[in-house]
Amino acid sequence: MVTFLPSRPGRLADVPSFTRTIGGAESNVACTLAAAGHRTRWVSRVGADGFGDHLVSAIAAYGVDTSAVRRDPARPTGVYFRTATDRASGAHEVLYYRAGSAASAMTPDTLRPERLTGVRVLHLSGITAALSSGCLDLARALTARRPGRPLVSFDVNHRPGLWPEPTRARVLLELARGADLVFVGEDEAADAFSLHGPDAVRAALPEPDVLVVKRGADGAVVYAGGDGPLHVPAPRVDVVAPVGAGDAFAAGFLSATLRDLPVRDRARHGHLAAAAALTVPGDLAPPPPRGYADRLAALDEEAWGTLHLGPGWTGADQEGRTP
């Protein structure tokens, strides 16, 4: 969907203008992974309109394969507006205009399992599942366990504005149980499922081989196989805009997973990718150069604990420096 970022803080009623950019959980992850050097493909539907043109060209510019994106002449591209505040803040406002959008018309025919041959990771989001009954059917089909499927990654991404009936959000637990790797915020697990604390989340989700419970500035807790919990602190970050961190974390973790890095380093790469997003105004940010990120992720516990990242920290001139 097309995202409209406010030109200044304040209520939506008081913001005079917005900047157009791109948004969408799965496309954000695909863009970040592509920028990190991985081959990615985004599968979706957009309208046969100017916003659809912008989305496809902007996402393709990151190096993402958009050949599987379908244009819908009868439905518009979805859009949304938001305030500049953190989603966890009571002052945060978001307006979705996605009912009847092209993406909401996705069904299990949009991506059949046989088209996943050779794919290593399939990343899905609870946001897509909330768009329509057809989208939910698609998510259910793709999270159904079957022999030979790729690693299925699922980010719960609970958005109350897309689930008007609170009890319906529990369908996200059903989808998460079918995944191999699950990302969920500790706060959203409490809000959506009344699960409090990482251990309670793991008890409710024993099926995924890897479960990542994100705790914001307090880091993440990872359960891998029969191991865990492993607490991986986040570095200190000077936040420019508190958006985009969740998708970036998923991309960083998935990138390290594709490279078979240790679990601790996967979480650290997730934190570093999130820090890149947090230190720019928009939802998307180029990840740090791989060599630089690898050196940071390999720091000992004491050095990692003193890491402090601010705007510009991912620049190429930083690659030769390790704190």
Side-chain angles (χ1 to χ4, degrees), residues 107-148:
T107 69
D109 286 331
T110 300
L111 182 60
R112 289 291 182 181
E114 56 268 23
R115 293 175 58 194
L116 296 173
T117 302
V119 172
R120 295 180 64 192
V121 173
L122 172 66
H123 181 70
L124 307 168
S125 164
I127 294 176
T128 297
L131 297 183
S132 67
S133 58
C135 287
L136 179 55
D137 289 342
L138 172 62
R140 282 176 165 150
L142 294 175
T143 54
R145 296 188 179 275
R146 61 174 58 85

Side-chain angles (χ1 to χ4, degrees), residues 291-292 295-296 299 307 318-323:
Y292 181 43
R295 286 193 290 276
L296 292 179
L299 291 173
L307 199 58
Q318 302 293 324
E319 188 168 0
R321 300 171 53 196
T322 300

Side-chain angles (χ1 to χ4, degrees), residues 14 25 27 32 48-49 78 89 116 154 157 178 243 245 272 301 308 319:
D14 301 326
S27 58
T32 304
D49 50 33
S89 165
L116 296 173
F154 182 73
N157 258 329
V243 293
L272 293 171
E301 296 298 327
H308 185 178
E319 188 168 0

Side-chain angles (χ1 to χ4, degrees), residues 32-282:
T32 304
L33 280 170
H38 299 279
R39 289 187 299 164
T40 64
R41 174 177 294 173
W42 177 51
V43 180
S44 190
R45 292 169 60 90
V46 299
D49 50 33
F51 285 156
D53 294 342
H54 173 63
L55 272 177
V56 173
S57 62
I59 291 171
Y62 278 87
V64 178
D65 180 351
T66 58
S67 61
V69 178
R70 297 292 173 257
R71 310 300 295 268
D72 190 329
R75 299 176 180 86
T77 302
V79 301
Y80 91 111
F81 296 77
R82 63 168 173 78
T83 52
T85 50
D86 191 330
R87 283 195 180 98
S89 165
H92 181 71
E93 297 174 73
V94 58
L95 290 179
Y96 291 100
Y97 296 92
R98 306 190 75 177
S101 68
S104 72
M106 289 191 293
T107 69
D109 286 331
T110 300
L111 182 60
R112 289 291 182 181
E114 56 268 23
R115 293 175 58 194
L116 296 173
T117 302
V119 172
R120 295 180 64 192
V121 173
L122 172 66
H123 181 70
L124 307 168
S125 164
I127 294 176
T128 297
L131 297 183
S132 67
S133 58
C135 287
L136 179 55
D137 289 342
L138 172 62
R140 282 176 165 150
L142 294 175
T143 54
R145 296 188 179 275
R146 61 174 58 85
R149 76 174 191 178
L151 185 149
V152 175
S153 167
F154 182 73
D155 193 335
V156 170
N157 258 329
H158 175 242
R159 297 290 183 267
L162 294 175
W163 297 95
E165 299 173 28
T167 54
R168 286 191 64 212
R170 296 190 69 85
V171 76
L172 295 174
L173 274 180
E174 168 201 334
L175 298 174
R177 290 187 179 111
D180 304 301
L181 166 58
V182 172
F183 302 97
V184 61
E186 186 174 33
D187 55 348
E188 64 183 348
D191 292 342
F193 314 130
S194 298
L195 296 173
H196 301 281
D199 287 344
V201 179
R202 183 54 163 172
L205 287 172
E207 297 88 352
D209 183 59
V210 178
L211 170 67
V212 183
V213 181
K214 300 175 292 181
R215 309 182 77 185
D218 291 330
V221 177
V222 184
Y223 299 82
D227 299 331
L230 173 66
H231 176 240
V232 184
R236 182 181 171 191
V237 178
D238 294 333
V239 176
V240 172
V243 293
D247 297 333
F249 181 96
F253 194 100
L254 286 171
S255 175
T257 298
L258 286 165
R259 297 168 58 208
D260 295 321
L261 297 184
V263 171
R264 184 206 68 173
D265 291 3
R266 297 179 193 184
R268 285 187 172 186
H269 275 277
H271 287 319
L272 293 171
L278 289 170
T279 50
V280 299

